[in-house]
Amino acid sequence: MRALVVEDDPTIAEGVARALAEAGFVVARAADGEEAEHLGATEPYDVAVLDLGLPGHDGIAVLEAWRKAGATFPVLILTARDRWADKLAGFRAGADDYVVKPFRLEEVVLRVQALVRRAAGHAQAVITAGPLAYDTQLGTFTLDGMPLKLTAMEHRVLAYLIHRAGRVVSRTELAEHVYDGDTDRDFNALEVIIGRLRRKIGPEAIETERGRGYRLRR
């Protein structure tokens, strides 16, 4: 999952980005409103954490620009502004959640995970696909109730697929969401990872739709 952290305080930005990365997210960062507006309107993210008090364009203007550009990813506002008027403005601009500073990193991660899960249509913290289960809060996979050992990239790929179990995910979409923005998106490497996952969770678990992409069976 790709997350965008928009925060001009480097200490807070580093802490949030590190916590999300440890939870399995590929994280991009922006420190001002103009860069954030551009990234959110042009890059495919699964979620964004957005401060309101930014240099350049403020967070509300950034969020409004994202929504106007057609960006539908969930947005968690993370700000020191605790007035009801600010919260109302945030939700009216298109925010999905609102957390006031100071905060606990663990809570932010849990809220972000919940936003991503619900955006994909899952109400429960544990997502299942046949004998495969993914605990989105713990970031762990089990197969028939037994822990599943995965590499970091296998985990990213399988997490993205299980959030969208039952539908075809194109190679381009998958690459956009599991590779860092500065990393070359290697489709051949993805094929290798899919092959390794099939050996671990079953050869029929991930179907290849020729010319379209991959589908994790429910």
Side-chain angles (χ1 to χ4, degrees):
M1 301 293 168
R2 290 187 72 191
L4 174 61
V5 175
V6 184
E7 170 62 64
D8 64 325
D9 184 315
T11 301
I12 294 176
E14 175 62 27
V16 173
R18 184 175 61 252
L20 290 174
E22 290 173 353
F25 286 86
V26 177
V27 184
R29 288 167 53 178
D32 63 72
E34 291 183 4
E35 182 185 14
E37 184 176 319
H38 172 72
L39 289 175
T42 59
E43 292 289 329
Y45 295 103
D46 295 291
V47 67
V49 178
L50 175 66
D51 186 20
L52 294 185
L54 297 169
H57 304 165
D58 72 8
I60 296 297
V62 169
L63 182 50
E64 289 174 339
W66 286 347
R67 296 309 188 214
K68 186 176 181 179
T72 60
F73 53 79
V75 174
L76 168 69
I77 288 179
L78 190 63
T79 180
R81 301 179 186 177
D82 60 356
R83 297 183 309 160
W84 168 243
D86 294 314
K87 295 180 181 180
L88 185 61
F91 284 115
R92 282 180 170 171
D96 299 272
D97 202 352
Y98 197 106
V99 174
V100 176
K101 301 173 184 176
F103 57 86
R104 292 182 64 89
L105 284 172
E106 297 86 350
E107 179 185 358
V108 172
V109 171
L110 286 173
R111 286 176 180 263
V112 166
Q113 290 169 330
L115 288 177
V116 170
R117 187 178 70 245
R118 290 167 187 159
H122 302 285
Q124 302 298 321
V126 178
I127 304 172
T128 60
L132 185 68
Y134 179 51
D135 189 319
T136 60
Q137 294 180 344
L138 298 178
T140 56
F141 280 95
T142 57
L143 184 67
D144 289 322
M146 298 298 294
L148 188 60
K149 188 174 181 179
L150 302 170
T151 67
M153 185 55 76
E154 289 170 355
H155 187 283
R156 288 183 187 178
V157 170
L158 193 55
Y160 193 80
L161 290 177
I162 200 169
H163 273 85
R164 288 148 186 81
R167 80 166 179 85
V168 176
V169 175
S170 72
R171 293 194 305 170
T172 298
E173 177 185 347
L174 187 57
E176 287 176 338
H177 290 266
V178 301
Y179 284 113
D180 186 274
D182 297 327
T183 303
D184 290 336
R185 295 164 184 173
D186 189 338
F187 290 153
N188 291 328
L190 274 183
E191 290 280 359
V192 172
I193 292 167
I194 293 293
R196 294 205 307 251
L197 285 172
R198 285 178 173 137
R199 289 194 290 273
K200 292 183 177 183
I201 65 176
E204 306 300 323
I206 303 176
E207 301 172 335
T208 298
E209 292 281 337
R210 192 170 299 278
R212 297 183 61 202
Y214 308 105
R215 176 169 50 214
L216 180 68
R217 297 180 64 178
R218 289 184 180 277

